[in-house]
Amino acid sequence: MMMWSNFFMQEEDRRRREAAGRRWAQGQHQLTPEREGKIKLGLLLSAVGATLAVLAVGTEFWVELNTYKTNGSAICDAAHLGLWKMCTKRLWQADVPADRDTCGPAELPGEANCTYFKFFTTGENARIFQRTTKKEVNLAAAVIAVLGLAVMALGCLCIIMVLSKGAEFLLRVGAICLGLSGLLLLVSLEVFRHSVRALLQRVSPEPPPAPALAYEYSWSLGCGVGAVLVLLLGGGCFLLLTLPPWPWGSLCPKQGPRAA
């Protein structure tokens, strides 16, 4: 009988310790309303950056290539391209603004022909206005952009886990991932800029002669630049939330009420 009573007492004591441990863990993982509000605000900022990044990577208005308008012709040619595909357009010169020397902008209505880049499948370079892409540079820009999106998704997932599960140790991981995704997108933008320059320089010697081109970066690349800035800002804000409060408290000491 003594043995059974000791067994039941030990079992009851173990259950009490487990319950106390669970209550302590829940208390540790509970965020204060002020801190939770700051994290939610940072997550909203990161969501804006993520939306801009997905919009930039998924659209093909990174750069516009425009031929110059010619006298005696009712049409002119333009093209716009992104990371995955390009579109050539034949526009009516009457629709082109009179103050422009070149064809465009690409948003004007016209006969369009859009194709995906073949260097993702068959490894062939694309030809645009008697010019040839440099597939290695275009591939590098696309791969870096996709890697940036993957790291960005991981960072957002970490922040969501902080809010839902109270796992505050993931806050620093999320901050690093968001900042790293911004840097990767910035590198992708720079690599794409080099791919555009390489395209303009790789003129085919075969007839007909290559037309003179002017280029301008378009709204998709602008979304990418905005995404870089917002993601870096969001990562920096989350990183500040992981720092201990005492450095800021020493810089801004609280003043007690003055004696009358």
Side-chain angles (χ1 to χ4, degrees):
M1 292 295 294
M2 183 66 67
M3 182 182 65
W4 285 107
S5 61
N6 290 337
F7 172 76
F8 287 121
M9 290 178 62
Q10 291 175 1
E11 187 69 17
E12 184 68 22
D13 186 54
R14 183 181 63 82
R15 291 177 180 175
R16 289 177 180 175
R17 287 198 302 268
E18 289 180 354
R22 285 194 296 268
R23 287 194 299 268
W24 179 84
Q26 291 174 358
Q28 291 284 25
H29 293 167
Q30 191 173 7
L31 296 171
T32 62
E34 181 183 2
R35 188 170 178 82
E36 184 178 357
K38 291 178 180 178
I39 295 176
K40 286 182 178 179
L41 186 62
L43 182 60
L44 178 62
L45 184 66
S46 303
V48 173
T51 304
L52 290 174
V54 172
L55 186 62
V57 175
T59 53
E60 63 275 4
F61 287 87
W62 283 53
V63 67
E64 295 181 11
L65 304 175
N66 303 315
T67 60
Y68 285 87
K69 293 190 292 186
T70 57
N71 295 326
S73 176
I75 58 174
C76 60
D77 295 319
H80 58 90
L81 61 145
L83 296 174
W84 315 106
K85 69 178 181 178
M86 64 175 180
C87 295
T88 56
K89 262 190 172 183
R90 184 155 287 185
L91 306 176
W92 293 100
Q93 288 199 27
D95 296 333
V96 178
D99 57 343
R100 286 181 64 107
D101 295 329
T102 59
C103 196
E107 288 83 3
L108 290 175
E111 182 183 349
N113 182 21
C114 297
T115 56
Y116 284 93
F117 290 124
K118 293 183 179 180
F119 41 71
F120 292 110
T121 54
T122 61
E124 299 178 22
N125 278 305
R127 291 173 62 88
I128 309 171
F129 297 137
Q130 296 300 104
R131 291 167 172 85
T132 307
T133 59
K134 193 173 182 179
K135 62 181 181 180
E136 296 82 4
V137 185
N138 291 81
L139 276 171
V143 170
I144 294 172
V146 171
L147 183 60
L149 290 183
V151 176
M152 178 191 68
L154 179 60
C156 292
L157 181 62
C158 289
I159 303 302
I160 293 174
M161 290 291 291
V162 172
L163 291 172
S164 61
K165 303 297 183 181
E168 286 200 61
F169 67 93
L170 291 176
L171 189 61
R172 181 166 298 178
V173 179
I176 294 173
C177 288
L178 290 174
L180 181 59
S181 66
L183 292 177
L184 287 172
L185 287 175
L186 181 61
V187 173
S188 177
L189 294 174
E190 181 63 20
V191 174
F192 181 82
R193 189 176 69 87
H194 284 281
S195 72
V196 173
R197 292 190 174 184
L199 171 65
L200 295 175
Q201 294 172 359
R202 291 163 64 91
V203 180
S204 174
E206 300 176 1
L213 291 180
Y215 72 96
E216 56 183 315
Y217 296 110
S218 192
W219 61 266
S220 294
L221 190 133
C223 290
V225 173
V228 169
L229 297 176
V230 175
L231 289 174
L232 289 176
L233 180 61
C237 291
F238 286 128
L239 198 60
L240 286 177
L241 289 176
T242 63
L243 296 178
W246 61 265
W248 315 109
S250 61
L251 292 175
C252 303
K254 294 182 180 180
Q255 294 183 356
R258 295 182 179 180

